[in-house]
Amino acid sequence: MLDISASYTDLYQLTMAQVYFKTKPKSIAVFDYYFRHNPYGGGYTVFAGLENILEILENLHFTTDDITYLEKHNFEAEFLEYLRNFRFRGTITSVAEGDVVFPNRPILQVEGNIMEVQIIETVLLNILNFQTLIATKASRIRHSAGNKILIDMGLRRAHATGGYLAARAAAIGGVNSTSNVIAAEDFKLNASGTMAHSFIQSYKDELQAFRDFAKIRPKNCVLLVDTYNTLKSGLPNAITVAKEMEARGDRLLGVRLDSGDLAYLAKQTRKILDKSGLEYVKIVASNQLDEYVIKSLNEQKAPIDIYGVGTNLVTGKPDAALDGVYKLSEYNNDARIKLSENIIKVSLPSKKQVFRMLDDSGMFYGADVVGLASEENISQMLHPFDSNKSLNLQNFKQEALLQKVMQNGKRTIEEKTVAEIAKYTEARLALLPDEYKRFQNPHIYKIGLSANLKSERDRLVKEHKF
Amino acid sequence: MLDISASYTDLYQLTMAQVYFKTKPKSIAVFDYYFRHNPYGGGYTVFAGLENILEILENLHFTTDDITYLEKHNFEAEFLEYLRNFRFRGTITSVAEGDVVFPNRPILQVEGNIMEVQIIETVLLNILNFQTLIATKASRIRHSAGNKILIDMGLRRAHATGGYLAARAAAIGGVNSTSNVIAAEDFKLNASGTMAHSFIQSYKDELQAFRDFAKIRPKNCVLLVDTYNTLKSGLPNAITVAKEMEARGDRLLGVRLDSGDLAYLAKQTRKILDKSGLEYVKIVASNQLDEYVIKSLNEQKAPIDIYGVGTNLVTGKPDAALDGVYKLSEYNNDARIKLSENIIKVSLPSKKQVFRMLDDSGMFYGADVVGLASEENISQMLHPFDSNKSLNLQNFKQEALLQKVMQNGKRTIEEKTVAEIAKYTEARLALLPDEYKRFQNPHIYKIGLSANLKSERDRLVKEHKF
C-alpha cells in the first residue's frame, strides 16, 4: 500500500532543487531530523518509521505522470531530465527504530547531494513524525495496561490511509494485535476481530445471533453484549451460548463491553460469569479508551482482560502531530546553523554523534550527550545554555546511538520485522527509569553538548549576530 | 495513490460475513452513515469524500495476496471462494459531496447484500470521516480568512499518507492551493511553493540566495525573510532583489514571514515595502495558523495577503476525528434500530429521506426533516424527543438531500472535479445564515422527524424495552 512516488513532496523542494541544479548541482549537504517536544507532555518518545523510510528511499523515483505534470509548472527541460533520472544516493545515520529518544538532539542524519536530500525532506518528515507520534501513544497505553492485552481497533476513525502505518506504529509501541486486515497482512501483525452491533441487529433475537456466530466461528469467539442491555440480555444470552459451546467441546473466549460504565459493568460481568462456572471467559472492553481511562480502570480493579483502543490510539489524540523538523547542519563540509530568538530553537551545526549515558546497573542515567561525529568517549558534558553547569562523564558507559543505516542510497542494515522492533522497544523502555514514564510532570531527560560542539555552535551564533 | 484492496477493512467484518455466508447469504441490509457532533464545536459540517468512495467501491476486490493471507485465519474454503469473487454490487443514496450537513440525520445510505455492505463499512467510514473532518476545518479557516489566499502546507505533519486526501478535502473547504505535489497532480489542485530556511542557509549570504532564486524562478517568486532577522536582514535583502527584478522586467510576488509576531512584522513589512515603491509585493504568513489565529490577525488589520496553513489544517486539530458511524436501519425490508440509554443515540429505522427547509429568500431555514424514503412534502416536523414541539412546514420549499449515486455497484452520477465540488460548497455555505458559522456557541441547526418515521422509531423502541 505504500506506493509513494517522488512527487510525494512539497512543491518548494522542487523549486529549490531547480535553483541548486543551475547554481551548485554538486554540493553536498547534511540535514538533521529531530523534534522539539515529547508528545503528550510525556517524558520520552519512541522512534518509529525508519524501516519504511529505507524501503521508500531505495525505490524513490518520479513516474512518467509526475514528469508530465511538472512540465506544466515552469520547470526547465534540463532539470526535468534530472528528475527523470532522480534516485536517492545519500547516506543516512540513525538511531535504531524502536529506541527511546528525546527532544533537541539528532535522531537521524542525512548526507548527500543537496538536491536529493532536499527532495526527500517531505516524505521523511511525513512518515517519521506520524509513526513516532503513534508508537509513543501506544507505549503510554501499554504502560497503563500493564500485561493486559491491547487491540488496535482504530481504522475507521484514522486519518484515511494513515491508519495503515498507525497499526504498524501501534505494534511497535506495544499493542498486541490489530483489527486492520491489510496492515496485519503486510506487517505480519496479529489480527483480531469479533462482531459489531449490526450483526446482532440483523437478527430478531440476540440469542440466535450469538448461537450462529459461536457455531460458525468457535475459535476466538467474543460476543458483544451491550446491543440491548448488557446485564439483562447480552450477558445471560452469552452464558447460555457458552454452556452450549462447552457441550460441543468449544470454549467461549470472551464477552465485549462497548458502552456504559466499564468499571461497574466489568465487575458485575465477572461476578456473574464466575458464578456460572465461566471463570475462563475473558472480558474485553472498548469505547473511547486511552492511557488515562485504562489507568483509571486498572486503579478501580476493573476485571478487564483485553482493551480495544481506537480513535485515541491511531490519531495520537490529543496531539495532532509530532513537531519533527529537518535542518541543514553542514554544507560542503562547512558547519551551518539556523538561528532563532529562542536559544532552544537554535539548531546544532556539523555532523554529530549522540551518546547515551548508562549507569552502573546498565539503566539509562537520564542524559544524552551530543558531540561532533568525530568524537568518542566524551569526558564532560556541558549544559547547552548555562555555562555554569557541566557533568563529568568518566564513570558512565557511553552508547553511540547514531549508526549507519544507508550508504549511497542502499540500506546497510538488515530488515527488521515489526515484531523484532517492538521487542527492542520493550527492552529499551525497560532501561528507562519510571520517573520518565509517569504522565504528570515526568522527569526531564537531560541533553548535554561536548565542548567541541558547543564552541562550534557558539562561534556560528556570533558570526550571524545582528 | 489510493490503491485500496478489500482487505482495507476490520477483521470482524470478515468474521461476521462468514457467518452471514453460512446462515443467510441472500439477505439485504440497509446501513446509514451519519455523525453525532459537528467537529470543532461548530455549527455545521462539510461533507467530503464521496467521489473517492464511489471510485474505490467500483474497483474493490480482494487480491490474491489477501486471499492467501486469509486462508491462514480460520476462514472456510467456500467463503474464501466467495471473497475471491467479491464485488460490491449495492446501491447508495447520498447527500451531494461538498454540501453542508448536520448531526444525527443520514448523510449516506447503503443498500445491498448484507456481506457486501458489511465488508465496505470500514473503508467507507475511514474515507468519509477524515475528509469531512478536514473539509470542515478548511471551511472554518476560509471563514476567518475572508477573500485572502489560503495555501495548504501540511504534508510533513500529516498522518502519513492521510495527507494526500487531506489536501483534497482542504480544497473542497475553500483552500486555494497546496504544497503537496502528488495531490495537486492527481486532484488537479493548484500547487504552490517557495523556499525553505535551508535554501538560504546553504549560502554564506542571504542576499546571494535571494538573487539566485529570483533569477532562476522569477515567476511566483516569494522570498522567505526570517532566517536571520526579518526587518534587519531578510526584508532589506528582499527589497534589493525586488529592485533588481524590476530592472529585468520581472516582479517579486511576495515575502514570507514564518516566525515572530506576525501582526507586528506584517505591519512593519508593509510600511517598508510601500516606502520602497513595492506596493505590489504581497505578504505571505505562516507558522501554526488556524481559524482563530487568522481571525485575530484580521481583527488586528495585519496586512497579510496570503496565509500558509499546515498542521492544524491537515490534522483537523484539535479534533482527532469525526465521530461518524454506520448503523443498520433495515434488514430484509424489516426496520431495525440500535438502542442506547441516551435517546439521542438511538438510531433512526428504515430507509429515509432528508428534507432541507428553505425560506422565502432561498436561504436555509435552519431545519432538516427526516422522513421515510417513501414520503414527499412533509407537512409537519416533530421534535425527535419532546412531543410538545412541532413545526408546520407548509410555507417552506423542501429540498430532498439524498439522491441515488450508485446502483448495483455502478456509479449513477457524473464524476465531479474537486474544483466543482469546492464551488458547490461555497454556494451551499452562502445559503447558511451567519449565526451557524460563528465559532462561539453557534446556533443549532434543528432536526425534525416526520410523523411516520417517529411512530416507526417509537414502536421499535417499545418492542426492545427491557
Side-chain angles (χ1 to χ4, degrees):
Chain A
M1 258 197 55
L2 275 186
D3 172 29
I4 286 179
S5 94
S7 70
Y8 190 88
T9 192
D10 290 303
L11 184 64
Y12 80 173
Q13 313 289 11
L14 302 181
T15 57
M16 289 188 281
Q18 181 173 342
V19 179
Y20 297 141
F21 180 80
K22 301 281 281 188
T23 60
K24 41 190 185 180
K26 304 276 180 204
S27 296
I28 301 297
V30 179
F31 277 80
D32 296 358
Y33 171 68
Y34 62 98
F35 58 89
R36 296 202 171 109
H37 303 91
N38 288 314
Y40 319 113
Y44 69 91
T45 296
V46 175
F47 172 54
L50 178 62
E51 284 287 329
N52 307 110
I53 282 297
L54 296 178
E55 189 192 328
I56 289 167
L57 293 183
E58 278 197 324
N59 297 294
L60 203 66
H61 64 278
F62 290 90
T63 64
T64 316
D65 284 352
D66 292 340
I67 301 295
T68 307
Y69 173 78
L70 292 171
E71 278 168 355
K72 297 177 214 140
H73 279 78
N74 296 320
F75 291 102
E76 294 179 13
E78 276 176 37
F79 179 65
L80 290 168
E81 190 55 31
Y82 164 79
L83 293 183
R84 214 170 264 124
N85 299 310
F86 170 88
R87 285 290 182 284
F88 178 72
R89 295 193 184 85
T91 292
I92 296 179
T93 60
S94 176
V95 171
E97 180 162 11
D99 203 354
V100 180
V101 293
F102 304 92
N104 297 311
R105 62 213 81 180
I107 310 298
L108 180 146
Q109 291 178 126
V110 184
E111 177 170 18
N113 176 280
I114 192 164
M115 296 182 277
E116 296 171 25
V117 298
Q118 192 78 69
I119 286 170
I120 69 161
E121 172 180 6
T122 305
V123 67
L124 189 140
L125 289 172
N126 173 271
I127 299 292
L128 298 181
N129 281 340
F130 178 58
Q131 287 198 68
T132 300
L133 179 78
I134 302 306
T136 307
K137 184 73 173 181
S139 80
R140 290 164 61 85
I141 295 172
R142 164 55 61 209
H143 185 69
S144 284
N147 56 10
K148 303 203 168 171
I149 292 173
L150 290 171
I151 306 175
D152 154 35
M153 298 179 168
L155 184 54
R156 62 191 55 200
R157 299 274 171 89
H159 286 197
T161 52
Y164 178 67
L165 289 178
R168 178 185 186 276
I172 288 172
V175 167
N176 303 89
S177 72
T178 182
S179 69
N180 185 330
V181 179
I182 184 70
E185 184 180 329
D186 288 358
F187 299 121
K188 300 186 173 58
L189 313 178
N190 300 313
S192 56
T194 56
M195 64 172 60
H197 295 113
S198 60
F199 178 80
I200 292 151
Q201 289 169 269
S202 78
Y203 288 77
K204 270 288 175 200
D205 177 349
E206 190 181 47
L207 182 59
Q208 190 58 44
F210 288 178
R211 274 188 175 134
D212 275 7
F213 198 93
K215 269 191 200 143
I216 294 165
R217 299 283 308 179
K219 277 191 196 165
N220 298 319
C221 177
V222 175
L223 301 172
L224 177 61
V225 293
D226 73 332
T227 303
Y228 301 116
N229 186 307
T230 299
L231 299 177
K232 290 186 192 160
S233 169
L235 190 57
N237 285 333
I239 289 169
T240 302
V241 169
K243 294 293 179 187
E244 292 169 1
M245 289 177 80
E246 281 184 354
R248 294 195 296 271
D250 291 324
R251 278 198 152 193
L252 178 64
L253 175 63
V255 294
R256 176 156 76 102
L257 310 171
D258 188 43
S259 58
D261 190 291
L262 295 177
Y264 169 79
L265 289 173
K267 285 175 189 175
Q268 294 297 316
T269 298
R270 186 73 274 156
K271 208 183 291 175
I272 297 166
L273 286 171
D274 290 354
K275 261 194 206 154
S276 314
L278 296 168
E279 293 85 356
Y280 62 84
V281 172
K282 295 196 187 317
I283 297 179
V284 184
S286 53
N287 193 17
Q288 298 298 319
L289 301 182
D290 65 11
E291 64 268 49
Y292 297 99
V293 178
I294 291 175
K295 183 166 185 278
S296 162
L297 286 167
N298 277 354
E299 283 165 0
Q300 294 170 75
K301 303 197 191 312
I304 296 167
D305 305 287
I306 301 173
Y307 290 107
V309 196
T311 311
N312 295 305
L313 170 63
V314 299
T315 64
K317 192 178 176 185
D319 279 18
L322 181 80
D323 62 357
V325 295
Y326 184 76
K327 295 288 173 195
L328 183 72
S329 61
E330 209 178 279
Y331 174 75
N332 285 343
N333 290 315
D334 219 26
R336 295 297 158 98
I337 202 167
K338 163 78 177 74
L339 291 186
S340 171
E341 310 267 310
N342 188 340
I343 184 97
I344 294 183
K345 289 182 81 177
V346 172
S347 66
L348 295 172
S350 302
K351 264 183 280 184
K352 296 171 287 291
Q353 181 54 278
V354 181
F355 299 92
R356 180 154 297 170
M357 301 301 127
L358 305 182
D359 68 16
D360 289 346
S361 65
M363 294 284 283
F364 297 164
Y365 169 72
D368 289 347
V369 183
V370 191
L372 297 172
S374 53
E375 295 187 274
E376 268 177 70
N377 274 310
I378 295 172
S379 58
Q380 196 189 27
M381 83 176 218
L382 306 179
H383 190 279
F385 324 117
D386 186 340
S387 54
N388 296 313
K389 286 187 180 166
S390 68
L391 179 70
N392 187 317
L393 303 178
Q394 311 286 4
N395 295 324
F396 296 106
K397 204 188 139 200
Q398 305 189 8
E399 238 185 9
L401 299 184
L402 297 172
Q403 301 295 333
K404 189 173 287 178
V405 296
M406 177 169 265
Q407 181 149 30
N408 303 329
K410 296 287 162 210
R411 60 186 300 152
T412 55
I413 55 166
E414 280 190 33
E415 273 186 51
K416 279 187 197 155
T417 65
V418 173
E420 286 164 349
I421 299 166
K423 213 163 180 180
Y424 181 67
T425 297
E426 192 183 357
R428 296 295 277 180
L429 276 169
L431 300 180
L432 182 70
D434 277 343
E435 54 268 31
Y436 299 94
K437 295 177 192 158
R438 68 173 180 248
F439 300 153
Q440 295 296 329
N441 301 318
H443 197 35
I444 292 167
Y445 200 99
K446 290 185 183 54
I447 177 175
L449 306 187
S450 75
N452 291 330
L453 178 61
K454 186 160 186 284
S455 71
E456 180 75 348
R457 185 199 63 178
D458 293 348
R459 180 181 69 77
L460 286 164
V461 169
K462 272 200 200 95
E463 216 178 281
H464 285 294
K465 265 277 176 289
F466 285 88
Chain B
M1 261 197 55
L2 276 185
D3 173 27
I4 286 178
S5 93
S7 70
Y8 191 89
T9 193
D10 291 303
L11 185 65
Y12 78 174
Q13 312 290 11
L14 302 180
T15 56
M16 288 188 281
Q18 182 174 341
V19 179
Y20 296 141
F21 180 80
K22 301 281 282 189
T23 60
K24 43 189 184 180
K26 304 276 182 208
S27 295
I28 300 297
V30 178
F31 277 80
D32 296 359
Y33 170 67
Y34 61 98
F35 58 89
R36 295 200 171 112
H37 302 92
N38 289 313
Y40 319 112
Y44 69 91
T45 296
V46 175
F47 172 54
L50 178 62
E51 285 286 329
N52 306 109
I53 282 297
L54 296 179
E55 189 191 328
I56 289 166
L57 293 183
E58 278 197 324
N59 297 294
L60 202 67
H61 64 279
F62 290 90
T63 64
T64 315
D65 284 352
D66 292 340
I67 300 295
T68 307
Y69 173 78
L70 293 171
E71 278 169 354
K72 298 176 215 140
H73 280 77
N74 296 320
F75 291 101
E76 295 180 12
E78 275 177 38
F79 179 64
L80 289 169
E81 189 56 30
Y82 164 79
L83 293 183
R84 213 170 264 124
N85 299 310
F86 171 87
R87 286 291 182 285
F88 178 73
R89 295 194 185 84
T91 293
I92 297 180
T93 60
S94 176
V95 170
E97 180 163 9
D99 202 355
V100 180
V101 293
F102 303 92
N104 296 310
R105 63 213 80 180
I107 310 297
L108 181 145
Q109 291 178 126
V110 184
E111 177 170 18
N113 176 281
I114 192 164
M115 297 181 277
E116 297 171 26
V117 297
Q118 192 80 67
I119 286 170
I120 70 160
E121 172 180 7
T122 306
V123 68
L124 189 139
L125 288 173
N126 173 271
I127 299 291
L128 298 181
N129 280 341
F130 178 58
Q131 287 199 68
T132 300
L133 180 77
I134 302 307
T136 307
K137 185 71 172 180
S139 80
R140 290 164 60 86
I141 294 173
R142 165 53 62 208
H143 186 67
S144 285
N147 55 11
K148 301 202 169 171
I149 292 172
L150 290 172
I151 306 175
D152 155 34
M153 297 179 170
L155 184 56
R156 62 191 55 201
R157 301 275 170 87
H159 287 197
T161 52
Y164 178 67
L165 289 178
R168 179 185 186 276
I172 289 172
V175 168
N176 303 90
S177 73
T178 182
S179 69
N180 184 330
V181 180
I182 185 69
E185 185 180 329
D186 288 359
F187 299 121
K188 300 185 172 61
L189 313 178
N190 300 313
S192 54
T194 58
M195 63 171 61
H197 295 114
S198 60
F199 177 80
I200 292 152
Q201 290 169 268
S202 78
Y203 287 79
K204 271 286 174 199
D205 177 349
E206 190 181 47
L207 182 59
Q208 190 58 45
F210 287 178
R211 274 188 176 133
D212 276 7
F213 198 92
K215 268 189 201 142
I216 294 165
R217 299 281 309 177
K219 277 190 196 165
N220 298 321
C221 178
V222 175
L223 301 172
L224 177 61
V225 293
D226 73 332
T227 303
Y228 300 115
N229 185 307
T230 300
L231 299 177
K232 290 186 193 161
S233 170
L235 190 57
N237 285 333
I239 289 170
T240 303
V241 169
K243 293 294 178 186
E244 292 169 1
M245 291 178 78
E246 282 184 353
R248 293 195 298 271
D250 290 327
R251 279 197 152 193
L252 178 64
L253 175 64
V255 294
R256 176 155 76 103
L257 310 170
D258 189 43
S259 58
D261 190 292
L262 296 177
Y264 170 77
L265 289 173
K267 285 175 190 174
Q268 294 297 316
T269 298
R270 186 73 273 158
K271 210 183 290 177
I272 297 166
L273 285 172
D274 290 354
K275 261 193 206 155
S276 313
L278 296 168
E279 293 85 355
Y280 63 84
V281 172
K282 296 196 189 315
I283 297 178
V284 185
S286 53
N287 192 18
Q288 298 298 320
L289 301 181
D290 65 9
E291 65 267 50
Y292 297 99
V293 178
I294 291 176
K295 185 167 184 278
S296 161
L297 287 167
N298 277 353
E299 283 165 0
Q300 295 170 74
K301 302 198 192 312
I304 295 167
D305 305 289
I306 301 172
Y307 290 107
V309 196
T311 311
N312 295 304
L313 171 62
V314 299
T315 64
K317 193 179 178 186
D319 278 19
L322 181 81
D323 63 356
V325 295
Y326 186 76
K327 294 289 173 194
L328 183 72
S329 61
E330 209 177 279
Y331 175 75
N332 285 342
N333 289 317
D334 220 25
R336 293 299 156 97
I337 203 167
K338 164 77 177 73
L339 290 186
S340 171
E341 310 267 309
N342 187 341
I343 182 98
I344 293 182
K345 289 182 81 177
V346 172
S347 66
L348 295 172
S350 302
K351 264 182 281 183
K352 296 171 288 290
Q353 180 55 277
V354 180
F355 299 92
R356 180 153 297 169
M357 301 299 128
L358 305 182
D359 69 15
D360 288 345
S361 64
M363 295 285 283
F364 296 165
Y365 170 72
D368 290 346
V369 183
V370 191
L372 297 171
S374 53
E375 294 187 276
E376 267 178 70
N377 274 308
I378 294 171
S379 58
Q380 198 188 27
M381 82 176 219
L382 306 179
H383 189 281
F385 325 117
D386 185 340
S387 55
N388 296 313
K389 286 188 180 167
S390 68
L391 179 70
N392 187 316
L393 303 178
Q394 309 287 4
N395 295 324
F396 296 106
K397 204 189 140 200
Q398 305 190 7
E399 239 185 7
L401 299 184
L402 298 172
Q403 301 296 333
K404 187 173 289 178
V405 296
M406 177 169 264
Q407 181 149 30
N408 303 328
K410 296 287 163 211
R411 60 185 300 152
T412 56
I413 55 166
E414 281 190 32
E415 272 186 53
K416 277 186 197 158
T417 64
V418 173
E420 287 165 348
I421 297 166
K423 213 163 180 180
Y424 181 67
T425 297
E426 192 184 357
R428 296 296 277 179
L429 276 169
L431 299 181
L432 181 70
D434 276 343
E435 55 266 32
Y436 298 95
K437 295 177 193 161
R438 69 173 179 247
F439 299 154
Q440 297 296 330
N441 301 317
H443 197 36
I444 292 166
Y445 200 100
K446 290 184 183 57
I447 178 175
L449 306 186
S450 74
N452 291 330
L453 178 61
K454 187 160 186 285
S455 71
E456 181 75 347
R457 184 197 65 177
D458 293 348
R459 180 182 69 76
L460 286 164
V461 169
K462 274 201 197 94
E463 217 178 279
H464 285 293
K465 266 274 177 286
F466 284 87

